[in-house]
Amino acid sequence: MSRGGLLIWNGCQPDALGDYERWHQHEHLLERVGIPGFKKGSRFEALPGTEPQFFTLYETASPEVLLSPRYRERLADPSPWTRRIMPAFTDVSRTVCRQEASWGIANTAALVSLVAEESAVLARVASEMQGESCLGWSLWQAVVEPGGMSEEQEMRGAADKHIAQALLLRMARPQDATRTATALAELGDVGAYALIASMTAEEARP
């Protein structure tokens, strides 16, 4: 069974940034990874020259976990802190995905995200990037979600953007991510990010 992934890019209103950081680190990441079927959550912050400011990847046992009633119920019943934070989100792109392929190391200090219209472009880049500074990659394909806006999305006040597919390149160092993002800029929407924190389901258990 293919692993699932929730790929989220977003900014945050500057006056809410401190509260956003505390919420994500001390409630939201723990809450999400504690949902049955979630395997890991990882937060990244943009390196200079990349927007939006944050990228978050939630990995699940399968894409169906992200379409399940249990997860949809969680989206429909946000915590009080989540209700306060959601209106501060900006420039949101959120897509449920299926992992089509992967290679190498999955945990590194930096990441390059490449979103392109043609899956063949991403496959070619993946095959060419297996080298000294790229320690691993994963290729993701969008999965159609049930229709309608969730309670959380309605609180954000605008429809989320979505992607068709993305390639995530795991880089050894932030400077490697910046250099690689610059080299790939003409191929699609590319960003360079540094890891803030990650948590596995085992770490989230009491």
Side-chain angles (χ1 to χ4, degrees):
M1 184 179 293
S2 298
R3 177 160 291 204
L6 182 60
L7 280 62
I8 305 170
W9 291 262
N10 70 277
C12 179
Q13 295 176 6
D15 60 353
L17 187 56
D19 199 20
Y20 170 88
E21 285 289 335
R22 290 186 292 272
W23 164 79
H24 218 311
Q25 292 295 109
H26 298 294
E27 180 184 90
H28 195 64
L29 189 62
L30 180 65
E31 176 191 85
R32 285 298 191 258
V33 177
I35 296 172
F38 275 63
K39 297 296 185 182
K40 184 180 179 181
S42 302
R43 293 191 63 216
F44 298 83
E45 186 166 22
L47 293 166
T50 289
E51 291 183 353
Q53 187 173 358
F54 299 103
F55 172 69
T56 305
L57 172 65
Y58 292 107
E59 298 172 72
T60 62
S62 71
E64 286 71 27
V65 171
L66 295 160
L67 308 175
S68 68
R70 182 70 176 269
Y71 178 58
R72 303 296 296 183
E73 288 170 5
R74 181 69 271 174
L75 293 178
D77 186 26
S79 73
W81 203 353
T82 297
R83 290 180 180 277
R84 188 170 78 236
I85 291 296
M86 281 293 143
F89 272 64
T90 61
D91 197 19
V92 180
S93 173
R94 178 191 176 281
T95 307
V96 172
C97 293
R98 180 187 309 277
Q99 187 180 94
E100 295 294 323
S102 64
W103 165 83
I105 296 173
N107 301 305
T108 60
L111 174 145
V112 171
S113 64
L114 175 61
V115 176
E117 294 184 3
E118 298 182 11
S119 57
V121 171
L122 302 182
R124 176 175 59 80
V125 172
S127 67
E128 293 174 351
M129 286 300 299
Q130 297 181 187
E132 184 173 332
S133 61
C134 180
L135 304 183
W137 53 258
S138 54
L139 187 61
W140 300 88
Q141 185 75 33
V143 173
V144 177
E145 290 189 76
M149 293 176 65
S150 70
E151 181 74 12
E152 289 188 1
Q153 186 173 343
E154 289 181 358
M155 287 186 294
R156 292 196 287 271
D160 296 340
K161 293 180 287 187
H162 303 283
I163 63 167
Q165 58 259 324
L167 175 66
L168 304 181
L169 300 167
R170 299 287 188 167
M171 310 305 295
R173 297 174 177 83
Q175 58 266 36
D176 298 322
T178 299
R179 183 179 66 253
T180 299
T182 300
L184 299 177
E186 295 184 356
L187 298 180
D189 186 3
V190 65
Y193 291 86
L195 181 67
I196 299 174
S198 65
M199 176 179 285
T200 64
E202 289 75 17
E203 292 168 333
R205 295 193 183 104

